[in-house]
Amino acid sequence: MADASLTTRRHDGRAIDELRPLTLTCGWSKYAEGSCIVEVGNTRVFCTASIQDGVPGFLRGTDTGWVTGEYGMLPRACSERNAREAAQGKVGGRTSEIQRLIGRALRAVTNLEVFGERTLWVDCDVVQGDGGTRCASIVGGYVSLVQAFHRLRAQGGCEVIPVSGQVAAVSVGIVNHQPVLDLDYVEDKDALVDMNVVLTDDKRLVEVQGTAEGEPFDRRQLNELLDLAEKGIEQIIARQREALGDLLAE
């Protein structure tokens, strides 16, 4: 990517390789074992982590735990009211996909064999959506998960914190024929390429979801987008460390 391209400004004044303002607020929930409010620009997601006894049927009798995610958007999280999925009697395809993504991302850095037959549920509720809600859910879900495992250890439920590293996610895309980092809704709806990247703190890929909305993109463009994502996730992981403080030092 040519250095000159980095001077190009986007509709909100950001450089093409600049994240939106990110705030992580830990411990907002009185009852949950772990919790985090994620604010990414105008996107806001409330995350909680809850630990319950029992695991899915395929894990019963294995002395192995499970981590899974649930995701939802409140009716006025967007510009127009959406009906609650509970009122419709089923979970939509998009919601199911995001829930599976959250679970896969968090399990990638969790040792499931050291906290017994328990399930850690990470619930991510979007109260305001302006692009990047699934990525924000992973970022805040991880922060909530670490808090929850510390609570479990303090209660004698495990001897060590079953977390092997950090994981975070960010969106990248091609907008106006320019690769950009951390798309908001205005950019996302018109993007020529839309991609979500999930990465660990040692720069291993967990998932890449990339789609050409118009003209196909080539390997060079893919590499540019992955480089942008890696740069952004390094910054996000640093913010997770700041938010968790001593909890990650143990």
Side-chain angles (χ1 to χ4, degrees), residues 204-225:
R204 289 183 296 158
L205 289 164
V206 177
E207 188 144 347
V208 178
Q209 300 178 332
T211 304
E213 303 291 349
E215 181 179 343
F217 58 105
D218 59 28
R219 176 65 69 86
R220 176 188 59 81
Q221 292 169 306
L222 173 61
N223 290 339
E224 288 181 341
L225 292 174

Side-chain angles (χ1 to χ4, degrees), residues 11-228:
H11 77 96
D12 58 1
R14 284 185 291 149
I16 66 169
D17 62 344
E18 185 178 352
L19 293 169
R20 289 175 287 176
L22 171 63
T23 302
L24 302 172
T25 304
C26 295
W28 67 270
S29 173
K30 177 179 178 179
Y31 300 109
E33 286 86 343
S35 59
C36 179
I37 298 175
V38 190
E39 298 175 77
V40 184
N42 290 318
T43 289
R44 290 173 176 80
V45 184
F46 284 15
C47 302
T48 58
S50 306
I51 298 177
Q52 297 178 338
D53 291 337
V55 290
F58 71 93
L59 286 175
R60 288 176 192 154
T62 65
D63 200 29
T64 299
W66 189 242
V67 174
T68 190
E70 290 202 358
Y71 169 96
M73 297 189 74
L74 297 186
R76 277 315 299 267
C78 297
S79 59
E80 297 182 359
R81 185 185 188 276
N82 296 316
R84 296 180 190 272
E85 290 183 325
Q88 299 173 341
K90 63 179 181 179
V91 174
R94 175 180 179 274
T95 298
S96 294
E97 175 213 343
I98 293 174
Q99 291 180 163
R100 290 194 295 268
L101 173 64
I102 294 168
R104 285 193 299 270
L106 298 177
R107 289 193 297 273
V109 293
T110 303
N111 184 349
L112 301 175
E113 299 178 352
V114 301
F115 59 98
E117 292 192 15
R118 299 181 175 90
T119 296
L120 188 144
W121 295 86
V122 175
D123 290 289
C124 304
D125 292 292
V126 180
V127 297
Q128 187 166 280
D130 188 29
T133 60
R134 72 186 66 194
C135 295
S137 296
I138 292 170
V139 172
Y142 172 81
V143 172
S144 302
L145 172 142
V146 171
Q147 295 170 65
F149 279 136
H150 274 269
R151 176 81 68 88
L152 181 65
R153 189 182 68 170
Q155 296 171 345
C158 58
E159 294 182 1
V160 298
I161 304 301
V163 178
S164 60
Q166 287 179 250
V167 68
V170 76
S171 64
V172 288
I174 297 177
V175 179
N176 296 324
H177 303 284
Q178 185 86 273
V180 296
L181 174 67
D182 192 15
L183 284 64
D184 63 12
Y185 175 75
V186 170
E187 294 174 324
D188 182 76
K189 69 182 179 64
D190 293 327
L192 300 175
V193 175
D194 180 21
M195 183 179 293
N196 300 295
V197 179
V198 185
L199 200 67
T200 62
D201 58 331
D202 57 359
K203 300 183 180 180
R204 289 183 296 158
L205 289 164
V206 177
E207 188 144 347
V208 178
Q209 300 178 332
T211 304
E213 303 291 349
E215 181 179 343
F217 58 105
D218 59 28
R219 176 65 69 86
R220 176 188 59 81
Q221 292 169 306
L222 173 61
N223 290 339
E224 288 181 341
L225 292 174
L226 290 176
D227 287 344
L228 271 179

